[in-house]
Structure formats: C-alpha cells, structure tokens
Amino acid sequence: METVLTTSPPLAAQFIRRGEVVAFPTETVYGLGANVFDEAAIRKIFQAKGRPTDNPLIAHVANLAQLQTLTTHLPANAAQLIAAFFPGPLTLVLPKHPDVSLLATAGLPTIGVRMPRHALALEFITACGVPLVAPSANLSGRPSPTTWQAVQADLDGRIACILQGEQAEVGLESTVVDCTGNAPVVLRAGALTLEQLQTVLPASRLASQHDVAVPKSPGLKYRHYSPQARVVLIDNVAGLSASLAAAFIGLNAPPRRDEFRCLKLCANVAEYAHEVFSFFRVCDAAGVREIYCEVVEERGLGLALMDRLKRAAQNVAPA
C-alpha cells in the first residue's frame, strides 16, 4: 500500500469514508483514525500498529452531537468536565452506546471519548462526518509520534494516508478520567493535570490498583513508549558517567556533557514532556544504547511524564 501524504483534511477524510485508516495531528500526539462504527476499518488499526485487541481505543469527536452517538448517557461529573476542558487533552470514560463495536472498547461496556484542541484535527473529524477511534499513530510499544515524519517512519506502507501538520503542541497523550463511578478517577495521567481537574471536581483522584484491574484506558497493560535503547531513570545527575554510546535528557546538565552521543537539556518539565518522545527517536537513529532520563517530581505535568518514562524503562527503579 502506498501511503498518501496530504495537508488537506477533506482529502484525508475521503480515505476514512472508504473504510481506511488515516494518521492525523492533535495537540497531544499524532493519532491513527478509523470510523468508530466500521469494525473492518477498526481491525486495520490493530493490524497496522501490531496492537493487541484487548487494548481499548479512544474515540475522537469534533462536537458534542458526535459525542452523543457514542454514549447511552452523560454522567453529571462528565458534563462538568466537558464544560471546563473540552476541547482539550482530556479523555472521559463513559457508558458505551450499543452501536459502538466492542472491538473498539476491548469488549468493555465503556468508551473513552475526547475532543481535540487542534484546528486541523477538528476540521478533519468534521469532514469525516463520524467520530474516529484513534490510538497513537506508531507501531505498538514504540515512542508516540509527535511529528508526521515519525508516523511515516513507523507506518509508511501500512496505512492509507497521513494528514500532515506541525509538531504536536504537548507531546504527551491525553489524561484519561473514568466518569462512570461516584467520583472521577484518573486512569492515565496526561497533559491535563490532576490539580486542574480538582479545581472543577475536588473529589477527582488518581486510580488505585483496584480501579485498573480491568483496564478501561490504553497505556495501562503493556510496555509502551519505548525506544530501541535501554531507558534508565536517574535522580543523581551529578554522579552520572558519560559514554559515547549513551544519551541524556533532563533538566540539569550532567558532568562531561560533551561526551554523550545525544543530549537534550530542557528548561522546564513542560519542555521535557514536549521533547521526550522525539528525543527517543533521535537516539534510535543515532544508534544510542542507553538513554539516561532525569527523574522529576511527580506533581502536575511531572506525574504524566514520569508515568511515560517508567513504562519506557519497564518500571526500572531510579539509579
């Protein structure tokens, strides 16, 4: 299959209407979209990514009318979060409408839904005329793509079309909040922080082990976000030894910084989050064997960043 590159949302939408899958930009990362009501198209997502079918997908909508086709009802806490944060990097887990394929939800009676805060994404979904299920547009397990070039590197020839946009604004996936219980539960930390959620619904909390026993969100069950190099989490940058086969990313400069094959110093946690996935791909291209990632405080956006780093490192303890 030849993968078509385009900057035209109407052209890209034609592929969706033909039952194909299309990669498209959002403010978080690039997504790989298919018609939420087309089971054959949804299967193409799993095939293209090499993604296990017991890993649920997130639906993307362009407006509230589309959202209403995906759920049986809107819980009151979900309505409050929609009023405060849609469109934006927030996914709400809601009761699934019977018309939505169980393939999209990994057999669960719930579905994650979000409305991107990205003009090109909204124009594209509107042109499609239907909501789109869309995981990140990468091979399963690889770092999420923040540029169309990263999508092309992983999926060229495996998907019908890539809608080209700018580099993703945030660089980390959306926050996933389960709204089916009494209080909102953050299943996956993301670009919208727990503190921001609590300004609207103070009872919002992080998930416990019990909450994720049956994963209602992607990013909970399998190794994710991993480059080819070994990822090592480190909280003592001053004691780090340099290597020509190693790389470093973080907030504070390590000793002998010029001896690293690849090095990225970030001004703050937001820049760190924005750059980490693209840095992983740069390191892979450079043949790096180990990537040292500085640990940050698990507060605000740092909570989501550390979640991704731990999963990339397969939860290796800090050095």
Side-chain angles (χ1 to χ4, degrees):
M1 176 191 301
E2 180 182 355
T3 299
V4 174
L5 303 178
T6 182
T7 59
S8 168
L11 176 60
Q14 291 180 21
F15 288 96
I16 294 292
R17 291 195 291 272
R18 295 175 199 157
E20 299 293 345
V21 296
V22 175
F24 64 99
T26 78
E27 77 278 21
T28 56
V29 299
Y30 274 67
L32 185 59
N35 182 344
V36 69
F37 302 115
D38 185 341
E39 191 164 292
I42 296 171
R43 289 190 186 280
K44 292 179 182 180
I45 288 180
F46 290 101
Q47 293 165 357
K49 285 177 60 71
R51 180 185 177 97
T53 55
D54 60 351
N55 200 1
L57 305 176
I58 290 172
H60 292 61
V61 300
N63 51 60
L64 295 182
Q66 286 188 343
L67 184 150
Q68 290 169 357
T69 67
L70 301 176
T71 185
T72 54
H73 67 280
L74 198 61
N77 56 11
Q80 288 178 267
L81 293 177
I82 286 170
F85 299 115
F86 271 31
L90 173 64
T91 295
L92 302 180
V93 175
L94 305 169
K96 181 187 81 68
H97 193 281
D99 289 346
V100 176
S101 168
L102 287 171
L103 181 63
T105 65
L108 297 171
T110 56
I111 185 169
V113 183
R114 92 175 187 96
M115 185 187 300
R117 187 190 67 222
H118 190 282
L120 197 63
L122 293 174
E123 185 180 350
F124 170 57
I125 300 169
T126 299
C128 292
V130 292
L132 304 179
V133 280
S136 55
N138 57 306
L139 290 173
S140 190
R142 294 274 291 137
S144 297
T146 58
T147 65
W148 68 262
Q149 292 93 337
V151 178
Q152 187 180 40
D154 274 12
L155 299 179
D156 191 28
R158 301 171 70 95
I159 63 175
C161 179
I162 298 173
L163 178 60
Q164 299 164 293
E166 300 295 327
Q167 181 174 355
E169 172 194 343
V170 178
L172 294 182
E173 297 81 1
S174 63
T175 304
V176 179
V177 178
D178 186 357
C179 291
T180 60
N182 293 328
V185 176
V186 177
L187 300 180
R188 181 181 74 183
L192 191 74
T193 68
L194 175 63
E195 293 84 352
Q196 288 173 294
L197 293 169
Q198 289 174 336
T199 62
V200 176
L201 293 175
S204 301
R205 61 176 177 84
L206 297 177
S208 65
Q209 286 299 113
H210 173 74
D211 293 316
V212 297
V214 177
K216 296 180 181 179
S217 165
L220 300 180
K221 193 171 183 179
Y222 297 97
R223 187 183 185 210
H224 281 72
Y225 322 116
S226 300
Q228 295 167 8
R230 176 173 173 256
V231 173
V232 180
L233 308 185
I234 184 162
D235 54 13
N236 180 21
V237 174
L240 182 59
S241 297
S243 165
L244 291 177
F248 173 84
I249 183 170
L251 305 178
N252 299 288
R256 300 188 302 279
R257 53 188 285 182
D258 293 339
E259 297 182 20
F260 287 93
R261 183 168 297 178
C262 299
L263 183 139
K264 180 69 179 180
L265 295 180
C266 303
N268 49 48
V269 172
E271 184 183 358
Y272 195 167
H274 182 263
E275 295 294 331
V276 64
F277 288 147
S278 59
F279 183 74
F280 282 174
R281 289 178 178 269
V282 167
C283 291
D284 281 349
V288 166
R289 296 179 183 175
E290 288 187 322
I291 305 173
Y292 294 99
C293 300
E294 184 180 2
V295 168
V296 302
E297 184 180 359
E298 295 189 33
R299 180 175 58 85
L301 189 59
L303 180 67
L305 174 60
M306 286 306 304
D307 171 77
R308 305 310 188 269
L309 293 179
K310 288 177 182 178
R311 293 182 189 280
Q314 293 186 298
N315 296 311
V316 173

Short mmCIF file of all heavy atoms in Angstrom, two decimals, residues 57-98:
data_model
loop_
_atom_site.label_atom_id
_atom_site.label_comp_id
_atom_site.label_asym_id
_atom_site.label_seq_id
_atom_site.Cartn_x
_atom_site.Cartn_y
_atom_site.Cartn_z
N LEU A 57 -9.46 1.47 22.56
CA LEU A 57 -9.16 2.66 21.77
C LEU A 57 -9.94 3.86 22.31
O LEU A 57 -10.96 3.69 22.99
CB LEU A 57 -9.53 2.43 20.30
CG LEU A 57 -8.91 1.22 19.63
CD1 LEU A 57 -9.45 1.08 18.20
CD2 LEU A 57 -7.40 1.31 19.62
N ILE A 58 -9.47 5.05 21.99
CA ILE A 58 -10.14 6.29 22.38
C ILE A 58 -10.83 6.88 21.16
O ILE A 58 -10.23 6.95 20.08
CB ILE A 58 -9.14 7.29 22.97
CG1 ILE A 58 -8.65 6.79 24.35
CG2 ILE A 58 -9.73 8.69 23.09
CD1 ILE A 58 -7.51 7.61 24.92
N ALA A 59 -12.07 7.30 21.32
CA ALA A 59 -12.82 7.93 20.23
C ALA A 59 -12.60 9.44 20.27
O ALA A 59 -12.55 10.04 21.34
CB ALA A 59 -14.30 7.62 20.34
N HIS A 60 -12.47 10.04 19.09
CA HIS A 60 -12.27 11.48 18.96
C HIS A 60 -13.47 12.09 18.25
O HIS A 60 -13.91 11.57 17.22
CB HIS A 60 -10.99 11.77 18.16
CG HIS A 60 -9.74 11.37 18.87
ND1 HIS A 60 -9.48 10.08 19.24
CD2 HIS A 60 -8.67 12.11 19.28
CE1 HIS A 60 -8.30 10.03 19.85
NE2 HIS A 60 -7.81 11.24 19.89
N VAL A 61 -13.99 13.18 18.80
CA VAL A 61 -15.16 13.84 18.24
C VAL A 61 -14.84 15.30 17.92
O VAL A 61 -13.92 15.89 18.49
CB VAL A 61 -16.37 13.77 19.20
CG1 VAL A 61 -16.74 12.32 19.49
CG2 VAL A 61 -16.08 14.52 20.50
N ALA A 62 -15.64 15.86 17.01
CA ALA A 62 -15.47 17.26 16.64
C ALA A 62 -16.47 18.16 17.32
O ALA A 62 -16.30 19.39 17.35
CB ALA A 62 -15.58 17.42 15.12
N ASN A 63 -17.53 17.57 17.89
CA ASN A 63 -18.58 18.36 18.54
C ASN A 63 -19.36 17.48 19.49
O ASN A 63 -19.20 16.24 19.51
CB ASN A 63 -19.50 18.99 17.49
CG ASN A 63 -20.01 17.96 16.49
OD1 ASN A 63 -20.68 16.99 16.87
ND2 ASN A 63 -19.69 18.15 15.21
N LEU A 64 -20.24 18.09 20.29
CA LEU A 64 -21.00 17.34 21.28
C LEU A 64 -22.07 16.45 20.65
O LEU A 64 -22.44 15.43 21.23
CB LEU A 64 -21.62 18.30 22.29
CG LEU A 64 -20.63 19.07 23.16
CD1 LEU A 64 -21.36 19.97 24.15
CD2 LEU A 64 -19.68 18.12 23.89
N ALA A 65 -22.54 16.81 19.47
CA ALA A 65 -23.52 15.96 18.79
C ALA A 65 -22.89 14.60 18.45
O ALA A 65 -23.53 13.56 18.60
CB ALA A 65 -24.02 16.65 17.52
N GLN A 66 -21.64 14.60 18.01
CA GLN A 66 -20.95 13.34 17.75
C GLN A 66 -20.76 12.55 19.03
O GLN A 66 -20.91 11.32 19.06
CB GLN A 66 -19.60 13.60 17.08
CG GLN A 66 -19.69 14.02 15.63
CD GLN A 66 -18.32 14.07 14.96
OE1 GLN A 66 -17.28 14.10 15.61
NE2 GLN A 66 -18.32 14.11 13.63
N LEU A 67 -20.44 13.23 20.13
CA LEU A 67 -20.25 12.55 21.40
C LEU A 67 -21.52 11.80 21.81
O LEU A 67 -21.45 10.67 22.33
CB LEU A 67 -19.85 13.56 22.48
CG LEU A 67 -19.50 13.01 23.87
CD1 LEU A 67 -18.47 13.90 24.55
CD2 LEU A 67 -20.73 12.90 24.75
N GLN A 68 -22.67 12.38 21.56
CA GLN A 68 -23.93 11.77 21.98
C GLN A 68 -24.23 10.47 21.23
O GLN A 68 -25.03 9.66 21.71
CB GLN A 68 -25.07 12.77 21.80
CG GLN A 68 -25.00 13.93 22.79
CD GLN A 68 -25.96 15.06 22.45
OE1 GLN A 68 -26.65 15.01 21.43
NE2 GLN A 68 -25.97 16.09 23.28
N THR A 69 -23.57 10.25 20.08
CA THR A 69 -23.77 8.99 19.35
C THR A 69 -22.94 7.86 19.95
O THR A 69 -23.11 6.70 19.54
CB THR A 69 -23.38 9.16 17.87
OG1 THR A 69 -21.97 9.37 17.75
CG2 THR A 69 -24.13 10.31 17.23
N LEU A 70 -22.06 8.17 20.89
CA LEU A 70 -21.13 7.17 21.42
C LEU A 70 -21.50 6.67 22.80
O LEU A 70 -20.95 5.66 23.26
CB LEU A 70 -19.72 7.77 21.50
CG LEU A 70 -19.11 8.27 20.18
CD1 LEU A 70 -17.77 8.92 20.43
CD2 LEU A 70 -18.96 7.11 19.20
N THR A 71 -22.41 7.35 23.50
CA THR A 71 -22.70 7.01 24.88
C THR A 71 -24.21 6.95 25.12
O THR A 71 -24.99 7.64 24.45
CB THR A 71 -22.05 8.04 25.84
OG1 THR A 71 -22.26 7.63 27.19
CG2 THR A 71 -22.60 9.43 25.62
N THR A 72 -24.60 6.11 26.07
CA THR A 72 -26.02 5.99 26.40
C THR A 72 -26.51 7.18 27.22
O THR A 72 -27.66 7.59 27.11
CB THR A 72 -26.28 4.70 27.20
OG1 THR A 72 -25.40 4.68 28.35
CG2 THR A 72 -26.01 3.47 26.34
N HIS A 73 -25.62 7.73 28.04
CA HIS A 73 -25.97 8.92 28.82
C HIS A 73 -24.69 9.57 29.31
O HIS A 73 -23.63 8.95 29.34
CB HIS A 73 -26.88 8.57 30.01
CG HIS A 73 -26.21 7.72 31.06
ND1 HIS A 73 -26.06 6.36 30.93
CD2 HIS A 73 -25.66 8.07 32.25
CE1 HIS A 73 -25.46 5.88 32.00
NE2 HIS A 73 -25.19 6.89 32.81
N LEU A 74 -24.81 10.82 29.68
CA LEU A 74 -23.66 11.61 30.12
C LEU A 74 -23.77 11.83 31.63
O LEU A 74 -24.65 12.58 32.09
CB LEU A 74 -23.65 12.95 29.38
CG LEU A 74 -22.33 13.73 29.38
CD1 LEU A 74 -21.23 12.93 28.70
CD2 LEU A 74 -22.54 15.07 28.68
N PRO A 75 -22.91 11.19 32.43
CA PRO A 75 -22.94 11.43 33.87
C PRO A 75 -22.70 12.90 34.19
O PRO A 75 -22.04 13.63 33.43
CB PRO A 75 -21.78 10.56 34.38
CG PRO A 75 -21.60 9.50 33.33
CD PRO A 75 -21.91 10.18 32.04
N ALA A 76 -23.23 13.34 35.33
CA ALA A 76 -23.14 14.75 35.71
C ALA A 76 -21.70 15.21 35.85
O ALA A 76 -21.34 16.32 35.43
CB ALA A 76 -23.90 14.98 37.02
N ASN A 77 -20.83 14.34 36.41
CA ASN A 77 -19.43 14.76 36.56
C ASN A 77 -18.75 14.91 35.21
O ASN A 77 -17.91 15.81 35.01
CB ASN A 77 -18.65 13.81 37.48
CG ASN A 77 -18.69 12.36 37.04
OD1 ASN A 77 -19.12 12.04 35.93
ND2 ASN A 77 -18.26 11.47 37.91
N ALA A 78 -19.13 14.09 34.24
CA ALA A 78 -18.56 14.21 32.89
C ALA A 78 -19.00 15.52 32.25
O ALA A 78 -18.20 16.20 31.59
CB ALA A 78 -19.00 13.03 32.03
N ALA A 79 -20.27 15.89 32.44
CA ALA A 79 -20.77 17.14 31.87
C ALA A 79 -20.01 18.34 32.42
O ALA A 79 -19.71 19.29 31.67
CB ALA A 79 -22.26 17.28 32.15
N GLN A 80 -19.65 18.30 33.70
CA GLN A 80 -18.90 19.40 34.29
C GLN A 80 -17.48 19.49 33.71
O GLN A 80 -16.97 20.58 33.45
CB GLN A 80 -18.84 19.24 35.81
CG GLN A 80 -20.16 19.50 36.51
CD GLN A 80 -20.05 19.27 38.00
OE1 GLN A 80 -20.32 18.17 38.50
NE2 GLN A 80 -19.65 20.30 38.72
N LEU A 81 -16.85 18.33 33.52
CA LEU A 81 -15.50 18.33 32.95
C LEU A 81 -15.51 18.75 31.48
O LEU A 81 -14.60 19.44 31.02
CB LEU A 81 -14.87 16.95 33.11
CG LEU A 81 -14.57 16.53 34.55
CD1 LEU A 81 -14.02 15.11 34.60
CD2 LEU A 81 -13.60 17.50 35.22
N ILE A 82 -16.55 18.38 30.75
CA ILE A 82 -16.69 18.80 29.36
C ILE A 82 -16.82 20.32 29.28
O ILE A 82 -16.17 20.98 28.46
CB ILE A 82 -17.90 18.11 28.70
CG1 ILE A 82 -17.57 16.65 28.43
CG2 ILE A 82 -18.30 18.82 27.41
CD1 ILE A 82 -18.77 15.82 28.01
N ALA A 83 -17.64 20.89 30.15
CA ALA A 83 -17.83 22.35 30.15
C ALA A 83 -16.54 23.08 30.46
O ALA A 83 -16.28 24.17 29.91
CB ALA A 83 -18.90 22.72 31.17
N ALA A 84 -15.69 22.48 31.28
CA ALA A 84 -14.45 23.14 31.69
C ALA A 84 -13.29 22.91 30.74
O ALA A 84 -12.47 23.81 30.53
CB ALA A 84 -14.07 22.69 33.09
N PHE A 85 -13.21 21.71 30.13
CA PHE A 85 -11.95 21.32 29.48
C PHE A 85 -12.08 20.86 28.03
O PHE A 85 -11.07 20.57 27.40
CB PHE A 85 -11.26 20.23 30.30
CG PHE A 85 -10.91 20.64 31.69
CD1 PHE A 85 -11.51 20.02 32.78
CD2 PHE A 85 -9.99 21.66 31.92
CE1 PHE A 85 -11.17 20.40 34.08
CE2 PHE A 85 -9.65 22.03 33.21
CZ PHE A 85 -10.24 21.40 34.30
N PHE A 86 -13.28 20.73 27.49
CA PHE A 86 -13.42 20.38 26.07
C PHE A 86 -13.50 21.66 25.24
O PHE A 86 -14.19 22.60 25.65
CB PHE A 86 -14.69 19.56 25.84
CG PHE A 86 -14.50 18.07 25.98
CD1 PHE A 86 -13.56 17.54 26.83
CD2 PHE A 86 -15.31 17.19 25.28
CE1 PHE A 86 -13.42 16.17 26.98
CE2 PHE A 86 -15.19 15.81 25.41
CZ PHE A 86 -14.24 15.30 26.26
N PRO A 87 -12.86 21.73 24.09
CA PRO A 87 -11.89 20.76 23.58
C PRO A 87 -10.56 20.86 24.34
O PRO A 87 -10.21 21.94 24.83
CB PRO A 87 -11.71 21.17 22.11
CG PRO A 87 -12.01 22.63 22.10
CD PRO A 87 -13.06 22.86 23.15
N GLY A 88 -9.84 19.74 24.41
CA GLY A 88 -8.58 19.73 25.13
C GLY A 88 -8.02 18.33 25.29
O GLY A 88 -8.62 17.35 24.83
N PRO A 89 -6.90 18.20 25.99
CA PRO A 89 -6.22 16.91 26.12
C PRO A 89 -6.80 16.05 27.25
O PRO A 89 -6.09 15.59 28.13
CB PRO A 89 -4.77 17.31 26.41
CG PRO A 89 -4.90 18.61 27.14
CD PRO A 89 -6.08 19.31 26.52
N LEU A 90 -8.11 15.86 27.22
CA LEU A 90 -8.83 15.12 28.25
C LEU A 90 -9.72 14.08 27.59
O LEU A 90 -10.52 14.40 26.71
CB LEU A 90 -9.69 16.07 29.09
CG LEU A 90 -10.63 15.41 30.11
CD1 LEU A 90 -9.83 14.68 31.19
CD2 LEU A 90 -11.55 16.45 30.74
N THR A 91 -9.59 12.82 28.05
CA THR A 91 -10.44 11.72 27.59
C THR A 91 -11.33 11.29 28.75
O THR A 91 -10.84 11.05 29.85
CB THR A 91 -9.59 10.53 27.13
OG1 THR A 91 -8.85 10.90 25.97
CG2 THR A 91 -10.46 9.32 26.81
N LEU A 92 -12.63 11.19 28.50
CA LEU A 92 -13.59 10.78 29.52
C LEU A 92 -14.10 9.38 29.20
O LEU A 92 -14.53 9.11 28.07
CB LEU A 92 -14.77 11.75 29.56
CG LEU A 92 -14.42 13.21 29.84
CD1 LEU A 92 -15.68 14.07 29.84
CD2 LEU A 92 -13.67 13.35 31.17
N VAL A 93 -14.05 8.49 30.17
CA VAL A 93 -14.59 7.14 30.02
C VAL A 93 -16.06 7.18 30.40
O VAL A 93 -16.43 7.55 31.52
CB VAL A 93 -13.82 6.13 30.90
CG1 VAL A 93 -14.48 4.75 30.83
CG2 VAL A 93 -12.37 6.04 30.44
N LEU A 94 -16.90 6.78 29.42
CA LEU A 94 -18.37 6.92 29.53
C LEU A 94 -19.04 5.59 29.20
O LEU A 94 -18.43 4.72 28.56
CB LEU A 94 -18.86 7.99 28.55
CG LEU A 94 -18.20 9.37 28.65
CD1 LEU A 94 -18.60 10.22 27.47
CD2 LEU A 94 -18.58 10.04 29.97
N PRO A 95 -20.32 5.42 29.58
CA PRO A 95 -21.05 4.22 29.17
C PRO A 95 -21.16 4.16 27.64
O PRO A 95 -21.53 5.14 27.00
CB PRO A 95 -22.43 4.40 29.81
CG PRO A 95 -22.22 5.40 30.92
CD PRO A 95 -21.12 6.30 30.45
N LYS A 96 -20.84 3.01 27.06
CA LYS A 96 -20.80 2.85 25.61
C LYS A 96 -22.20 2.72 25.01
O LYS A 96 -23.05 2.02 25.55
CB LYS A 96 -19.98 1.61 25.26
CG LYS A 96 -19.83 1.33 23.78
CD LYS A 96 -19.16 0.00 23.51
CE LYS A 96 -20.11 -1.17 23.62
NZ LYS A 96 -21.13 -1.22 22.54
N HIS A 97 -22.41 3.36 23.86
CA HIS A 97 -23.64 3.18 23.09
C HIS A 97 -23.60 1.81 22.39
O HIS A 97 -22.53 1.38 21.93
CB HIS A 97 -23.79 4.29 22.05
CG HIS A 97 -25.13 4.36 21.42
ND1 HIS A 97 -25.54 3.50 20.42
CD2 HIS A 97 -26.20 5.18 21.66
CE1 HIS A 97 -26.77 3.79 20.06
NE2 HIS A 97 -27.20 4.80 20.80
N PRO A 98 -24.73 1.11 22.28
CA PRO A 98 -24.73 -0.21 21.63
C PRO A 98 -24.23 -0.20 20.19
O PRO A 98 -23.76 -1.24 19.70
CB PRO A 98 -26.21 -0.62 21.68
CG PRO A 98 -26.79 0.14 22.81
CD PRO A 98 -26.06 1.45 22.85
#
